């Protein structure tokens, strides 16, 4: 008798109302579409810390030659690279120009491709952002600059006319300024 009760309980499948099974099917169908989409979108905004030999050399040079230098920190968030230079206080104009010159030395197409390879990015780095932070608040920088690989937003146009190769720098809120002429 005990065997029969045990088998009956084990073999019993309660009926599922048809409206619940339709809802469940719809939920599963939405999940099959939405979950991969969410995963793909979240992967687009992954930020990688970047450190190359060229960046290390630039950091050592700034530390040795520029008074007030505290650190250089670079990250890659596709398709851009951002480097923050931490500084003790506001640098004088000569030091500010020296920082810009030091950064220009490593913001080249070759080095940007090296960074891209290091994070397994197979395209050009679209934009390079330089943040000069002169206080302890690392959330915002007192000076911000950027340079682009392409002159336009059309990254599919590889013509020479569309390649700037990080030569023109823009100060946030300002017109493009060639780095050779300084940033101020």
């Amino acid at each position: 008798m005990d065997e029969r009760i045990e088998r009956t309980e084990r073999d019993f499948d309660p009926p599922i109302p048809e409206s619940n099974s339709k809802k469940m099917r719809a939920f599963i169908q939405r999940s099959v579409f939405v979950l991969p989409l969410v995963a793909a979108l979240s992967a687009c905004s992954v930020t990688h810390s970047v450190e190359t030999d060229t960046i290390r050399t630039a950091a050592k040079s700034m530390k040795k030659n520029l008074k007030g230098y505290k650190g250089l920190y670079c990250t890659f968030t596709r398709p851009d690279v951002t480097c923050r230079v931490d500084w003790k206080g506001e640098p004088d104009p000569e030091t500010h120009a020296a920082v810009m010159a030091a950064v220009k030395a490593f913001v080249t197409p070759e080095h940007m491709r090296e960074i891209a390879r290091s994070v397994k990015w197979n395209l050009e780095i679209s934009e390079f952002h330089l943040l000069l932070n002169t206080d302890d608040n690392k959330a915002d920088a007192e000076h911000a600059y950027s340079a682009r690989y392409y002159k336009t937003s059309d990254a599919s146009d590889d013509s020479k006319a569309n390649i700037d190769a990080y030569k023109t720098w823009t100060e946030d809120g300002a017109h493009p300024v060639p780095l050779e002429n300084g940033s101020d």
Side-chain angles (χ1 to χ4, degrees), residues 17-174:
E18 192 169 316
S19 63
N20 283 346
S21 70
K22 285 182 183 178
K23 287 179 183 176
M24 183 59 81
R25 260 189 236 116
F27 173 76
I28 290 171
Q29 287 173 341
R30 283 190 305 266
S31 297
V32 166
F33 175 73
V34 171
L35 290 177
L37 180 64
V38 169
L41 289 175
S42 65
C44 291
S45 61
V46 174
T47 298
H48 302 276
S49 181
V50 176
E51 190 171 331
T52 64
D53 289 339
T54 308
I55 292 171
R56 282 189 289 276
T57 301
K60 286 177 186 177
S61 175
M62 283 191 255
K63 183 176 183 176
K64 179 181 176 184
N65 299 316
L66 300 172
K67 186 178 180 184
Y69 171 83
K70 290 170 64 177
L72 173 65
Y73 308 94
C74 297
T75 59
F76 170 81
T77 306
R78 64 172 129 169
D80 300 339
V81 169
T82 301
C83 286
R84 187 185 79 232
V85 178
D86 288 339
W87 213 264
K88 185 178 179 182
E90 186 68 35
D92 60 59
E94 284 180 12
T95 303
H96 197 129
V99 171
M100 293 300 292
V103 170
K104 178 192 176 210
F106 76 83
V107 181
T108 63
E110 295 77 22
H111 185 238
M112 294 300 107
R113 288 182 192 115
E114 179 186 344
I115 290 173
R117 282 191 306 273
S118 76
V119 293
K120 296 177 180 30
W121 179 250
N122 296 323
L123 302 172
E124 296 292 345
I125 301 292
S126 293
E127 200 161 340
F128 179 88
H129 302 276
L130 172 64
L131 306 175
L132 181 55
N133 183 42
T134 61
D135 61 19
D136 291 332
N137 181 1
K138 301 205 185 332
D140 63 334
E142 289 66 42
H143 305 278
Y145 306 90
S146 61
R148 299 173 51 100
Y149 182 77
Y150 297 103
K151 291 179 181 177
T152 68
S153 59
D154 184 4
S156 67
D157 180 3
D158 282 336
S159 68
K160 284 188 178 188
N162 192 37
I163 306 294
D164 186 60
Y166 316 106
K167 291 178 186 159
T168 305
W169 287 75
T170 303
E171 184 173 4
D172 276 4

